[in-house]
Amino acid sequence: MLTQPTPVIAVLNVHYSRFGDLERADYLVTQPSVPLESYRDGFGNWCTRMIAPAGAFTLTTDGIFRDTGLPDPYAPDAQQHAVEDLPFDTLVYLLGSRYCDTDLLSERAWALFGQAAPGWSRVQAICDYVHESITFDYMKADSTRTAAQTLAGGHGVCRDFTHLGIALCRCMNIPARYCTGYLSEIGQPLPHPSDDFAAWMEVYLDGQWWVFDPRNNTRRTGRILVARGRDAADVPLTQIFGPGTLSDFEVWTHEVDDTPGGNVPAP
């Protein structure tokens, strides 16, 4: 609900790296309809800007994506690069950022992980530590909480787990970046929570980026990437430039029956 006409930037469309998996495009639809202008930001994310009118305003996307159904890739022998050997475009992901306050965590990180084997084992040790040290509590979500505050408080949501994992990796000279997107509960044992957007991280080892998930700390299937950045400040799902109140939020993921005559669920 908006009290006045308000500029909005939305980052709600699938990342270009998954375009080839689109069976039905996830077009952004607004109600009421307004002119849309799209562009790619400095991190390669597809963004849409608009001016939302005063009153109730709804944003919707709904697509069909083909996924392999395979779990996140696993490469336990992946090695860590020396800082001087890292590609230039990864160096920004070594720096502190809005929510990843490496300056406050560096000493702790080296005390905890300085003796861990560099590479995949060190990143996994960081994920294990974050997963075991932080309690997931959706009711205590806080959009201003930093990685150091998450560790001090001992609770958070998926973005907080991710920020802490990223910050600790950067402290250990491992490039790490923030990812947001869909992670369905399809195939997970019941009972499971309602679908939601999820946060995870990618780390740079052995010449490529690898998925790690401090929140779940297990290989999962069906990740659909929407956006990447240094942290959540770079990839807000919606950025509004004025006062507004979120009145409802729903995320759905359904497994589609793609056999002849199979049903496609309605959103």
Side-chain angles (χ1 to χ4, degrees), residues 7-262:
V8 176
I9 296 176
V11 186
L12 291 169
N13 293 105
V14 65
H15 193 263
Y16 72 86
S17 62
R18 298 300 303 259
F19 277 3
D21 299 322
L22 280 166
E23 292 288 313
R24 187 178 74 201
D26 59 335
Y27 296 118
L28 182 66
V29 177
T30 70
Q31 181 61 42
S33 180
V34 298
L36 305 177
E37 183 180 19
S38 297
Y39 66 96
R40 200 174 301 286
D41 70 9
F43 297 98
N45 306 312
W46 193 245
C47 307
T48 304
R49 69 177 181 178
M50 66 210 77
I51 298 179
F57 185 67
T58 302
L59 294 166
T60 305
T61 64
D62 182 47
I64 298 178
F65 309 94
R66 184 170 295 277
D67 190 76
T68 65
L70 298 175
D72 300 321
Y74 178 64
D77 296 325
Q79 297 298 303
Q80 181 175 336
H81 294 266
V83 173
E84 60 269 25
D85 296 330
L86 285 166
F88 295 134
D89 61 357
T90 68
L91 296 178
V92 67
Y93 299 109
L94 289 177
L95 306 178
S97 54
R98 165 68 179 86
Y99 293 106
C100 299
D101 37 2
T102 53
D103 53 333
L104 300 181
L105 292 168
S106 182
E107 186 174 347
R108 180 77 170 270
W110 279 96
L112 289 168
F113 310 111
Q115 301 305 311
W120 191 280
S121 295
R122 178 174 277 169
V123 177
Q124 187 58 60
I126 289 171
C127 289
D128 292 344
Y129 175 77
V130 173
H131 185 76
E132 293 164 6
S133 301
I134 307 303
T135 300
F136 184 87
D137 192 338
Y138 195 82
M139 300 307 295
K140 293 183 179 179
D142 184 345
S143 63
T144 67
R145 185 184 294 127
T146 67
Q149 290 170 338
T150 295
L151 185 58
H155 58 255
V157 294
C158 60
R159 62 180 263 160
D160 302 308
F161 283 76
T162 301
H163 285 147
L164 181 55
I166 288 171
L168 293 172
C169 283
R170 291 177 184 173
C171 289
M172 302 308 298
N173 300 329
I174 303 169
R177 62 190 183 188
Y178 184 94
C179 299
T180 186
Y182 303 104
L183 179 58
S184 81
E185 299 295 331
I186 294 171
Q188 295 300 301
L190 294 170
H192 52 62
S194 301
D195 290 317
D196 200 350
F197 279 97
W200 61 89
M201 67 182 189
E202 293 176 343
V203 303
Y204 192 82
L205 300 170
D206 247 353
Q208 67 183 87
W209 293 95
W210 302 91
V211 167
F212 283 84
D213 184 347
R215 157 71 176 98
N216 295 292
N217 204 29
T218 186
R219 297 166 70 199
R220 293 284 296 269
T221 61
R223 293 185 194 273
I224 305 295
L225 180 68
V226 170
R228 297 185 179 113
R230 292 166 299 183
D231 60 30
D234 289 331
V235 290
L237 299 175
T238 56
Q239 177 75 53
I240 66 171
F241 298 86
T245 302
L246 179 65
S247 56
D248 190 33
F249 179 77
E250 182 182 1
V251 177
W252 56 85
T253 53
H254 306 291
E255 193 167 8
V256 173
D257 180 0
D258 61 356
T259 60

